[in-house]
């Protein structure tokens, strides 16, 4: 028996209403983390450089960007991160 692909696994998992609800609840956190990582890479900065600019540790930046946890950064942290990248934070409510 072959193992399902990730997409097959995801489709099956999201067919469970409780799993889908939690997935949807966490989606904004993961979108933010992807935006942070994308912005940092576009600026050509390392996690160490961002950490130095924010006066924090590389491990804090790693945790902030990690998609392997559900740590939700505070707005203040997001603002500091954006400032370290010479970017701005924009909040859009839909």
């Amino acid at each position: 028996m072959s193992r399902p692909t990730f997409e097959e696994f995801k489709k099956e998992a999201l067919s469970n209403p409780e799993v889908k609800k939690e997935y949807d609840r966490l989606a904004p956190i993961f979108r933010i983390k992807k935006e942070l990582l994308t912005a940092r890479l576009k600026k050509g900065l390392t996690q160490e450089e961002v950490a130095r600019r924010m006066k924090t540790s590389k491990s804090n930046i790693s945790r902030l960007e990690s998609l392997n946890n559900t740590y939700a950064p505070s707005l203040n942290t997001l603002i500091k991160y954006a400032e370290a990248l010479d970017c701005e934070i924009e909040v859009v409510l839909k």
Side-chain angles (χ1 to χ4, degrees):
M1 183 173 184
S2 66
R3 295 177 64 172
T5 65
F6 175 75
E7 287 304 317
E8 292 168 336
F9 172 80
K10 182 178 173 182
K11 182 177 178 182
E12 175 70 23
L14 293 177
S15 69
N16 178 323
E18 290 181 29
V19 172
K20 175 79 167 97
K21 182 179 178 181
E22 184 66 4
Y23 179 86
D24 291 344
R25 185 184 73 78
L26 294 173
I29 294 170
F30 290 109
R31 275 197 311 273
I32 289 168
K33 289 175 178 238
K34 285 181 181 180
E35 288 288 332
L36 297 176
L37 179 58
T38 299
R40 179 176 62 77
L41 294 174
K42 280 184 181 177
K43 293 286 186 171
L45 298 171
T46 65
Q47 289 181 338
E48 290 89 354
E49 290 169 315
V50 175
R52 183 180 44 75
R53 292 177 181 194
M54 290 178 65
K55 297 180 176 35
T56 190
S57 67
K58 179 198 173 290
S59 62
N60 284 340
I61 302 305
S62 178
R63 183 177 66 248
L64 178 65
E65 294 178 350
S66 175
L67 298 176
N68 293 326
N69 67 52
T70 58
Y71 164 75
S74 69
L75 182 56
N76 189 46
T77 298
L78 293 174
I79 291 168
K80 287 180 181 180
Y81 187 98
E83 289 173 347
L85 272 60
D86 296 321
C87 292
E88 294 178 358
I89 294 288
E90 180 177 299
V91 177
V92 178
L93 300 176
K94 294 184 179 183

